[in-house]
Amino acid sequence: MKTSFYLLLPAVLLLGSCKKTTDKQAELAVQDFVRNRVSDAANYFPGKFRLKPYTKRDSLLYLAELAQINGTPAPPAPTAADTTRIGILVHHDYRDEMRDGEMIRDSGEYVVRPNGEVRLLMAESVRQKRLKQVQQQSSVGALR
């Protein structure tokens, strides 16, 4: 009996370790998402991934920044209860080789929902740059 237990234990451990972690699943989902949008899927070369939890609060703050950039009404302000995790924020760097052989480095920010759905976000660096432009335009308008 003990012998069969010791033979089954490695098999159970091996099968358990084959399950992909949530982070790895998020990386793979983003890879598929990007691969389907680059010039040629065969010329997509994934680079680094940086992952962190994405909460409802993060989503509301993101939407508030977009509303400010676009001059539209802002969503409701986040509350203390908005710390529920709704996905994983993935920063992904990659290379895309064009058909003419030119190599392009790019990156993106994505949210991977628990159901595997991937959403492309406007990069934080771009959002901050556009927010500064909006703020400068509004301060110039106020001086007139």
Side-chain angles (χ1 to χ4, degrees):
M1 179 87 172
K2 286 185 178 180
T3 308
S4 62
F5 173 76
Y6 289 115
L7 291 174
L8 287 176
L9 182 62
V12 170
L13 291 174
L14 180 63
L15 287 175
S17 66
C18 290
K19 183 180 178 196
K20 293 180 178 71
T21 65
T22 305
D23 288 353
K24 190 62 176 174
Q25 288 173 339
E27 288 180 12
L28 291 172
V30 168
Q31 281 185 13
D32 287 343
F33 184 86
V34 175
R35 186 175 284 118
N36 290 325
R37 286 162 180 77
V38 294
S39 62
D40 185 353
N43 294 336
Y44 160 71
F45 302 97
K48 293 182 181 178
F49 292 89
R50 293 185 323 266
L51 295 90
K52 71 178 196 177
Y54 192 74
T55 64
K56 185 174 180 184
R57 177 180 176 20
D58 297 327
S59 180
L60 289 171
L61 292 172
Y62 173 79
L63 292 173
E65 287 180 347
L66 288 184
Q68 186 177 358
I69 290 168
N70 295 321
T72 58
T79 65
D82 291 332
T83 57
T84 304
R85 184 175 173 165
I86 60 172
I88 299 174
L89 177 64
V90 180
H91 300 270
H92 176 45
D93 301 321
Y94 60 92
R95 292 179 296 134
D96 179 16
E97 185 176 338
M98 305 306 281
R99 288 184 177 93
D100 63 2
E102 182 180 355
M103 187 69 73
I104 296 174
R105 291 180 171 270
D106 204 350
S107 64
E109 293 181 12
Y110 310 86
V111 172
V112 180
R113 305 251 182 218
N115 65 2
E117 177 187 354
V118 178
R119 298 235 174 159
L120 174 64
L121 299 182
M122 181 186 295
E124 184 177 4
S125 60
V126 175
R127 285 194 319 269
Q128 296 307 318
K129 183 177 178 182
R130 290 187 182 172
L131 280 170
K132 283 182 185 177
Q133 290 172 344
V134 168
Q135 291 166 352
Q136 287 172 351
Q137 289 172 352
S138 63
S139 64
V140 168
L143 292 175
R144 290 183 181 180

